[in-house]
């Protein structure tokens, strides 16, 4: 496995792979790898001859007062896990190389970026769309694998690659969870033992919402109200949003149907956690 920091070198390796007929699969991350990331790498390994993992804590997707400085980082641990997962290249550029002085170009996806995390984290998806475009231009993947844990992010990337005719197949993978249901996240390390227990309220809320729907409750307002009551009972939980949206448009829905996704963002202490899931079981 190679560790590449230079953008030029990564681009040359990608071009070399492409002329020799190799398919490149790509998993972009911010590092501090967990089993969710490893499930994406496993899929990437199946889809390409050359598996590239990027590790880059992207400053442009963090707002003021967010956790950019504190975001957990451990490149050596990540490299060990990546090697075991069969990664061929880790691409880990510096922020200075990605955004040099006089950097001035950003990618804006309209519409689906406005609701949910787009509303509570202004500029976040502009940063995501920009860095993913740059990474695609550098790594030149045939396929790129993302998690549905970041449901809106995946929708934004699908929209962007379609709109911009980017020649990349976007693959979405299911949310990888701890045994007790907590969605894996690099940010889970911020949680104290007590907060870790309280954080279960997110996945439990999904289960409760599904039960309500299965029992015939289709009013989004009623479902959301009962989840608000449940979540607010946790002493350290503070709701950012609970919404029921159409899986494609990400517009709010008044009534649950086959396309409904419940999306939650909840602070547990200072840690912002997200989760989501369909409300009607797909047959
Ligand atoms: P991050 O390093 O958190 O930016 O995530 C990098 C990629 O891993 C994104 O496509 C995420 O959606 C995905 N990911 C993060 N957590 C999980 C999880 N628990 N299960 C599956 N994919 C995940």
């Amino acid at each position: 496995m190679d560790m590449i920091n230079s953008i030029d070198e990564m681009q040359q390796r990608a071009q070399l792979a492409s002329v020799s007929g190799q398919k490149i699969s790509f998993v972009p991350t911010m590092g501090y790898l967990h089993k969710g990331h490893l499930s994406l790498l496993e899929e990437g390994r199946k889809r390409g001859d050359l598996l590239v993992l990027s590790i880059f804590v992207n400053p442009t997707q963090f707002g003021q007062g967010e956790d950019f400085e504190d975001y957990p980082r451990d490149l050596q641990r990540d490299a060990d896990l990546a090697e075991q997962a069969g990664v061929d290249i880790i691409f880990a550029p510096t922020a200075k190389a990605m955004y040099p002085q006089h950097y001035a170009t950003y990618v804006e996806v309209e519409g689906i970026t406005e609701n949910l995390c787009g509303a509570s984290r202004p500029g976040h998806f502009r940063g995501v769309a920009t860095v993913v475009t740059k990474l695609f231009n550098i790594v030149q993947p045939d396929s790129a694998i993302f998690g549905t844990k970041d449901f809106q992010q995946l929708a934004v990337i699908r929209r962007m690659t379609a709109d911009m005719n980017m020649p990349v197949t976007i693959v979405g993978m299911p949310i990888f969870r701890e045994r007790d249901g907590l969605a894996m996240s690099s940010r889970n390390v911020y949680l104290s033992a007590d907060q870790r227990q309280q954080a279960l309220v997110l996945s439990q809320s999904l289960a409760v919402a599904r039960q309500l729907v299965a029992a015939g409750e289709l009013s989004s307002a009623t479902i959301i109200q009962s989840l608000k009551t449940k979540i607010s009972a946790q002493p350290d939980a503070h709701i950012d949003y609970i919404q029921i949206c159409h899986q494609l448009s990400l517009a709010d829905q008044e009534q649950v149907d086959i396309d409904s996704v419940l999306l939650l963002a909840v602070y547990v202490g200072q840690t912002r956690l997200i989760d989501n899931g369909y409300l009607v079981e797909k047959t």
Side-chain angles (χ1 to χ4, degrees), residues 116-117 125 146-155 172-177 181-185 199-210 227 231 241-248 250 259-266 272-280 282:
L116 303 160
C117 288
F125 288 117
F146 294 86
T148 47
K149 156 100 186 321
D150 299 85
F151 193 90
Q152 189 176 17
Q153 169 174 280
L154 179 56
M173 295 296 290
I175 301 175
F176 204 96
R177 296 178 181 281
L182 179 67
M184 296 219 175
S185 165
L200 292 177
V201 78
L202 281 93
S203 55
Q204 286 167 358
S205 293
L206 272 170
V208 167
R210 286 187 182 125
L227 299 185
I231 294 172
Y241 63 74
I242 307 175
Q243 288 172 240
I244 293 175
C245 297
H246 187 281
Q247 60 163 329
L248 297 178
L250 298 188
D259 288 312
S260 298
V261 185
L262 173 71
L263 300 110
L264 315 120
V266 175
R272 187 174 177 280
L273 301 175
I274 55 172
D275 205 339
N276 69 79
Y278 288 97
L279 289 180
V280 179
K282 305 265 185 280

Side-chain angles (χ1 to χ4, degrees), residues 170-219:
I170 304 300
V171 181
M173 295 296 290
I175 301 175
F176 204 96
R177 296 178 181 281
E178 304 279 2
R179 272 168 184 274
D180 58 9
L182 179 67
M184 296 219 175
S185 165
S186 306
R187 289 190 168 100
N188 291 348
V189 294
Y190 296 145
L191 300 169
S192 68
D194 181 41
Q195 290 171 344
R196 168 73 183 70
Q197 243 351 79
Q198 294 184 47
L200 292 177
V201 78
L202 281 93
S203 55
Q204 286 167 358
S205 293
L206 272 170
V208 167
R210 286 187 182 125
Q211 279 160 16
L212 286 170
V213 171
E217 179 57 73
L218 298 181
S219 156

Side-chain angles (χ1 to χ4, degrees), residues 38-251:
L38 298 184
S39 72
L40 309 191
L41 290 172
E42 197 179 320
E43 182 64 22
R45 189 62 284 169
K46 289 184 206 150
R47 286 181 178 261
D49 307 300
L50 189 76
L51 174 58
V52 181
L53 162 71
S54 68
I55 297 181
F56 180 59
V57 184
N58 173 38
T60 64
Q61 71 189 67
F62 288 79
Q64 277 207 336
E66 290 188 356
D67 58 343
F68 173 69
E69 301 292 342
D70 296 335
Y71 197 84
R73 295 162 168 90
D74 189 342
L75 197 54
Q76 188 50 56
R77 176 177 164 278
D78 286 347
D80 293 343
L81 289 168
E83 182 136 43
Q84 286 164 32
V87 169
D88 297 303
I89 297 175
I90 295 183
F91 175 54
T94 62
K96 226 173 162 189
M98 290 290 273
Y99 302 106
Q101 211 189 355
H102 308 306
Y103 186 88
T105 307
Y106 294 88
V107 180
E108 289 270 7
V109 179
E110 298 180 353
I112 52 169
T113 53
E114 281 155 26
N115 203 357
L116 303 160
C117 288
S120 41
R121 302 182 70 188
H124 171 67
F125 288 117
R126 178 186 193 245
V128 168
T130 301
V131 78
V132 171
T133 300
K134 286 171 67 68
L135 289 168
F136 282 1
N137 285 334
I138 297 165
V139 175
Q140 299 165 41
D142 295 279
S143 59
I145 299 99
F146 294 86
T148 47
K149 156 100 186 321
D150 299 85
F151 193 90
Q152 189 176 17
Q153 169 174 280
L154 179 56
V156 169
I157 286 159
R158 286 195 197 281
R159 183 77 270 140
M160 177 185 81
T161 48
D163 289 352
M164 289 290 120
N165 312 103
M166 294 178 176
V168 185
T169 301
I170 304 300
V171 181
M173 295 296 290
I175 301 175
F176 204 96
R177 296 178 181 281
E178 304 279 2
R179 272 168 184 274
D180 58 9
L182 179 67
M184 296 219 175
S185 165
S186 306
R187 289 190 168 100
N188 291 348
V189 294
Y190 296 145
L191 300 169
S192 68
D194 181 41
Q195 290 171 344
R196 168 73 183 70
Q197 243 351 79
Q198 294 184 47
L200 292 177
V201 78
L202 281 93
S203 55
Q204 286 167 358
S205 293
L206 272 170
V208 167
R210 286 187 182 125
Q211 279 160 16
L212 286 170
V213 171
E217 179 57 73
L218 298 181
S219 156
S220 297
T222 306
I223 296 167
I224 289 168
Q225 189 49 52
S226 73
L227 299 185
K228 277 190 177 157
T229 307
K230 178 177 172 60
I231 294 172
S232 306
Q234 301 296 322
D236 295 332
H238 158 71
I239 297 165
D240 181 356
Y241 63 74
I242 307 175
Q243 288 172 240
I244 293 175
C245 297
H246 187 281
Q247 60 163 329
L248 297 178
S249 68
L250 298 188

